[in-house]
Amino acid sequence: MEDNQKKSGEYALPFTVHSGYSFGMHVFLVIMIILFVGVAFIPINNFGWIIFRLICLVLGLFLAYAWIYSGVMKKTCLELTNQEISFKTNFISKKLNWTDIIDVQTFSLNNVLYIGIMSKETIKKRKNNFMTSLSESLGGGYTMTIPLKSFPKAEPEKLFATIVLKVQEQVQEQGIEEEVINEMYSEVKDEKVIDRNPVTILLKALIISLISGTIYGVLVYIFEVNLIIIPILGMMGIVYLYSKHYQEKGFNIIIRFCLGLICALQFFIGALVVSLMLNLTYIESNGIWSSISECIVYMVEYPEEYMNYYLYAIVCFFIGAFYGCSFKITRKIGKIFMHKQNGFCIKREKRYVSIYLIDYALYIENEEKIAITINPNVCLIEKDKRKILGFYIPKQVLNDYNINVNVFETIFTNEEMYYKLNLGGSATQHPYGYTSTLILNKDNQVELIQLETD
């Protein structure tokens, strides 16, 4: 890698980098290999221990192979050429032409930074459902996933910028309109059906609640343990269904009240099922509907016997009714505990930093916003380790969008005019290698800037 000439803010192509482990990682892996293989040779021969020993042996051999391949021989390799990007590990080898790539993202999983690359073919096959969302939240779903921890000699910002800018360069050379790509990506992301009829969504949510509540009651009866995870999963499914398949224009108290009741209903269904299963002989003589009616009356007359169900139901009701809602009083309370720099509220979520340019208590997430994405290496940044001290946006970028610039300082640097967001620092400026996002209100005022750090 050292032989590659580097451009300012990005790597010159061709660019190749091989895997490498720190001394501490080498020591850790060697200890783990010795531990697993050593356990595999403990002379205990009952059936359970034989299975355990085999598992340890397999894990030990797997770690040994991975360590020798990536850590000792350093064969895990990432290569960027003018035509393609290739990633080779001990288990997979993938190549993608730049023109086949439609999206490049960074994400963090267990404090490990990854670059996720999505191809057009993967986007076409993508299905918008709960399992897909779960997979993507865990870093799955990408055509190529590059763990940057495996390449300590590569600078994350430069590598990300190089990939993004090369993709854009190839798109322009091929004469593909950027709007066409954005439309293609939007079509896939908006594949879900937006139902404008809340009754349909509430009926589907009711079915989920009935099924979840029934399963909950049966399992409580069988295991005699309050398996609260079942209705929690049911509530997650209901909220996911509502948020993904119903376009909520505003907070409707009636619809939200019904959604909260449906979420809470699981606990009443569960308690009813338990009561019925405890009185199966009575059902045979009295009939199912009469038994259900009498159980409901009993639950109302003696609520103390079902108090744990009622308490959980109340919590579930409020989560369902107010999930995703933000109120001014809660934002005012949250503002007190937020980190502040030079008068701006800053929220950090792992590597991602949100800088609020307006009063945090006045920021309403559910309002219609305009999002503007700025390419890597267009802006400049000042930072001290992960702490952002200043952010510079080229004057031309904001002027092109006719953006309100009241909170920015005008400054001339690097032979170009910038608008500077001063966060209390005067450190060295360098190109910002990730994409940055500006969130604007309907008056073209920047309310929020979202950035990434290593």
Side-chain angles (χ1 to χ4, degrees):
M1 186 190 78
E2 292 80 358
D3 296 332
N4 285 283
Q5 183 182 0
K6 298 179 183 177
K7 300 177 183 178
S8 177
E10 60 182 292
Y11 290 112
L13 302 186
F15 170 77
T16 304
V17 61
H18 292 271
S19 59
Y21 290 158
S22 65
F23 176 76
M25 180 58 72
H26 280 290
V27 172
F28 173 75
L29 288 173
V30 169
I31 291 174
M32 293 302 294
I33 292 166
I34 293 173
L35 179 63
F36 280 120
V37 175
V39 170
F41 287 93
I42 294 176
I44 301 178
N45 294 319
N46 62 58
F47 180 75
W49 261 98
I50 290 174
I51 298 298
F52 182 67
R53 287 166 59 191
L54 285 174
I55 293 173
C56 288
L57 180 61
V58 171
L59 288 174
L61 293 175
F62 171 81
L63 285 176
Y65 172 62
W67 171 60
I68 292 171
Y69 187 93
S70 297
V72 178
M73 301 178 69
K74 299 183 178 180
K75 285 195 171 184
T76 294
C77 173
L78 178 66
E79 183 176 7
L80 282 65
T81 68
N82 286 310
Q83 292 76 38
E84 64 186 15
I85 176 173
S86 61
F87 179 45
K88 181 183 179 183
T89 72
N90 46 345
F91 297 109
I92 62 168
S93 180
K94 289 186 177 182
K95 292 183 179 181
L96 282 174
N97 291 329
W98 295 116
T99 52
D100 292 332
I101 297 172
I102 196 171
D103 192 32
V104 183
Q105 300 286 341
T106 62
F107 64 95
S108 182
L109 186 63
N110 295 327
N111 294 321
V112 177
L113 176 60
Y114 294 84
I115 293 178
I117 300 175
M118 189 80 75
S119 71
K120 297 175 184 177
E121 190 65 27
T122 302
I123 282 288
K124 288 178 182 177
K125 294 179 179 179
R126 182 185 184 277
K127 294 182 179 179
N128 201 330
N129 53 39
F130 177 74
M131 293 307 297
T132 300
S133 298
L134 179 62
S135 173
E136 290 177 352
S137 69
L138 298 174
Y142 291 101
T143 311
M144 184 183 291
T145 303
I146 304 167
L148 295 178
K149 190 175 183 180
S150 299
F151 305 104
K153 292 184 179 180
E155 298 178 40
E157 279 192 62
K158 279 192 175 183
L159 184 57
F160 178 81
T162 305
I163 294 172
V164 170
L165 296 174
K166 188 61 182 177
V167 171
Q168 293 180 346
E169 176 187 316
Q170 290 297 308
V171 166
Q172 291 171 359
E173 287 182 5
Q174 295 291 323
I176 302 172
E177 294 288 340
E178 187 176 352
E179 288 77 8
V180 174
I181 292 180
N182 290 337
E183 284 175 12
M184 178 183 176
Y185 191 58
S186 298
E187 282 175 10
V188 177
K189 292 189 78 173
D190 296 336
E191 208 174 58
K192 60 184 182 294
V193 177
I194 300 298
D195 198 330
R196 300 183 184 277
N197 185 358
V199 176
T200 305
I201 298 300
L202 292 177
L203 286 175
K204 291 179 180 179
L206 180 61
I207 293 172
I208 294 175
S209 181
L210 292 173
I211 294 173
S212 173
T214 302
I215 295 173
Y216 173 50
V218 171
L219 293 179
V220 169
Y221 173 78
I222 293 173
F223 295 106
E224 298 182 354
V225 176
N226 195 343
L227 298 172
I228 193 174
I229 186 65
I230 304 300
I232 288 177
L233 291 174
M235 180 189 66
M236 290 171 61
I238 292 169
V239 170
Y240 176 83
L241 174 75
Y242 179 81
S243 61
K244 292 296 181 182
H245 296 277
Y246 177 67
Q247 189 172 14
E248 188 176 51
K249 294 183 178 180
F251 183 81
N252 188 310
I253 187 66
I254 297 175
I255 296 174
R256 283 304 193 111
F257 180 80
C258 292
L259 188 71
L261 285 180
I262 290 171
C263 288
L265 181 64
Q266 301 173 95
F267 293 94
F268 295 100
I269 297 296
L272 180 61
V273 169
V274 172
S275 297
L276 291 172
M277 294 187 74
L278 289 171
N279 296 280
L280 291 176
T281 54
Y282 180 74
I283 294 175
E284 293 176 1
S285 60
N286 199 35
I288 181 66
W289 296 113
S290 297
S291 300
I292 290 175
S293 177
E294 291 183 17
C295 282
I296 292 174
V297 171
Y298 184 84
M299 290 168 62
V300 172
E301 291 182 350
Y302 301 95
E304 64 277 2
E305 295 187 20
Y306 300 90
M307 189 56 64
N308 57 336
Y309 291 99
Y310 293 159
L311 292 176
Y312 291 137
I314 291 171
V315 174
C316 213
F317 168 82
F318 280 103
I319 293 175
F322 298 104
Y323 173 81
C325 297
S326 178
F327 298 101
K328 192 171 181 179
I329 184 65
T330 59
R331 293 195 297 271
K332 282 186 175 181
I333 295 172
K335 178 182 174 181
I336 298 172
F337 300 98
M338 289 187 71
H339 175 66
K340 299 176 182 66
Q341 282 181 228
N342 203 27
F344 296 101
C345 289
I346 297 177
K347 181 189 291 184
R348 179 182 291 277
E349 296 173 331
K350 294 183 178 179
R351 297 175 44 248
Y352 301 93
V353 178
S354 298
I355 306 169
Y356 292 85
L357 307 192
I358 65 169
D359 187 341
Y360 177 72
L362 300 177
Y363 183 78
I364 304 174
E365 294 181 355
N366 294 332
E367 273 188 350
E368 187 175 342
K369 308 287 185 184
I370 302 169
I372 296 176
T373 300
I374 305 177
N375 283 341
N377 290 339
V378 172
C379 300
L380 302 177
I381 193 169
E382 297 178 7
K383 62 179 182 178
D384 179 15
K385 296 181 181 177
R386 299 180 68 196
K387 186 177 181 181
I388 296 173
L389 303 174
F391 193 66
Y392 299 71
I393 304 173
K395 183 178 180 181
Q396 190 60 45
V397 172
L398 297 189
N399 288 351
D400 286 345
Y401 289 98
N402 193 27
I403 293 174
N404 188 325
V405 294
N406 290 340
V407 297
F408 296 95
E409 302 175 8
T410 304
I411 189 168
F412 189 80
T413 184
N414 290 359
E415 300 182 353
E416 188 174 350
M417 191 67 72
Y418 286 86
Y419 287 122
K420 177 185 178 182
L421 179 64
N422 187 357
L423 298 174
S426 56
T428 304
Q429 308 154 7
H430 65 85
Y432 179 64
Y434 297 120
T435 53
S436 50
T437 304
L438 309 182
I439 306 298
L440 283 64
N441 61 19
K442 60 183 179 180
D443 297 322
N444 269 20
Q445 178 187 8
V446 182
E447 295 188 337
L448 176 67
I449 297 179
Q450 294 178 326
L451 306 173
E452 297 181 49
T453 61
D454 293 333

